[in-house]
Amino acid sequence: CRGLPFTCTTADIVELFAGFDVKEEDVTIGIHASGQFSGSPNGEALVRLGDQETAKRALAQKNMMTLGQRYIEVYLTSEAEQVEFQVPSLSERAEKEEEREGTSLSSRAATCVLRARGLPYSSTAADVAEFFSGYAVEPQNVLITVRLDGRPSGEALIWLPDSATANAARKALHGKKIGKRYVELFPPGPKEVALVLAA
């Protein structure tokens, strides 16, 4: 869920989801990973429910409910989002590298990110990281993109350690298979760079 008051506690969220058997240990409060607010709540939380049907009922009943004076947006998360929750975002990790090396964040994204196309729709960030095994890619380095309806697009953006590694991975893995599907790898365009920087 998104839009939470920054003072929100796990107990507050349990109360918000009353009737859905949510316990405090089922709630993870999101935090800022870097910047001046590093370590403080970011207004998001991951709430684990018993099963998919329960999650859908909670979405239908609780989306846009209020907590304090704020409307709370409730949405279903993918496995990849669950893995990445509370892990520094692509851009936050790059910001740290930028501070350390004095490089431009956008230029790093343009040379260190690859766009993968043709992924199985069931692919998770962990699946993509495994495909890039040997190129220092972890699940938190993978952004699975979705369509406007929230369904997987079959594409992902992958942040690699440097441009040389990105080029080597592209040459070695372009046209290789994940499952039964051939995966194509491309440099990112301006839209993909902007998407990564916003992640």
Side-chain angles (χ1 to χ4, degrees):
C1 43
R2 186 161 47 204
L4 299 167
F6 297 128
T7 56
C8 185
T9 66
T10 54
D12 294 329
I13 297 173
V14 167
E15 185 176 350
L16 178 68
F17 284 88
F20 290 91
D21 197 29
V22 173
K23 303 177 179 63
E24 289 197 39
E25 55 264 33
D26 299 322
V27 179
T28 304
I29 301 288
I31 59 172
H32 290 285
S34 63
Q36 67 181 104
F37 301 111
S38 178
S40 62
N42 64 7
E44 297 186 1
L46 180 69
V47 182
R48 297 173 185 84
L49 294 110
D51 53 47
Q52 190 172 21
E53 289 305 312
T54 304
K56 288 180 179 179
R57 285 194 296 110
L59 173 64
Q61 295 181 30
K62 297 298 182 179
N63 188 36
M64 301 311 291
M65 294 286 285
T66 57
L67 187 58
Q69 297 181 331
R70 301 191 65 167
Y71 286 98
I72 308 304
E73 180 185 356
V74 177
Y75 58 97
L76 299 177
T77 61
S78 66
E79 182 179 344
E81 289 172 313
Q82 294 174 37
V83 169
E84 293 170 8
F85 196 82
Q86 278 198 310
V87 176
S89 71
L90 296 175
S91 58
E92 287 171 329
R93 286 192 299 278
E95 283 173 1
K96 291 183 179 180
E97 295 180 11
E98 179 185 4
E99 291 172 1
R100 187 170 62 247
E101 301 176 10
T103 55
S104 163
L105 184 58
S106 59
S107 66
R108 281 188 57 80
T111 58
C112 299
V113 171
L114 289 177
R115 172 189 168 207
R117 186 173 68 188
L119 299 171
Y121 294 123
S122 60
S123 292
T124 65
D127 294 330
V128 178
E130 184 177 353
F131 180 69
F132 280 86
S133 176
Y135 294 95
V137 173
E138 300 293 335
Q140 59 264 33
N141 303 128
V142 179
L143 178 65
I144 302 287
T145 61
V146 296
R147 297 170 177 162
L148 291 176
D149 61 4
R151 296 181 181 180
S153 65
E155 298 190 6
L157 299 172
I158 303 94
W159 196 300
L160 292 104
D162 51 54
S163 59
T165 304
N167 289 333
R170 184 185 174 198
K171 289 179 181 178
L173 300 177
H174 181 76
K176 300 293 186 181
K177 287 184 176 180
I178 292 183
K180 296 181 179 180
R181 300 197 62 173
Y182 290 99
V183 177
E184 298 175 288
L185 300 176
F186 305 95
K191 289 183 179 179
E192 285 80 26
V193 170
L195 183 59
V196 167
L197 298 181

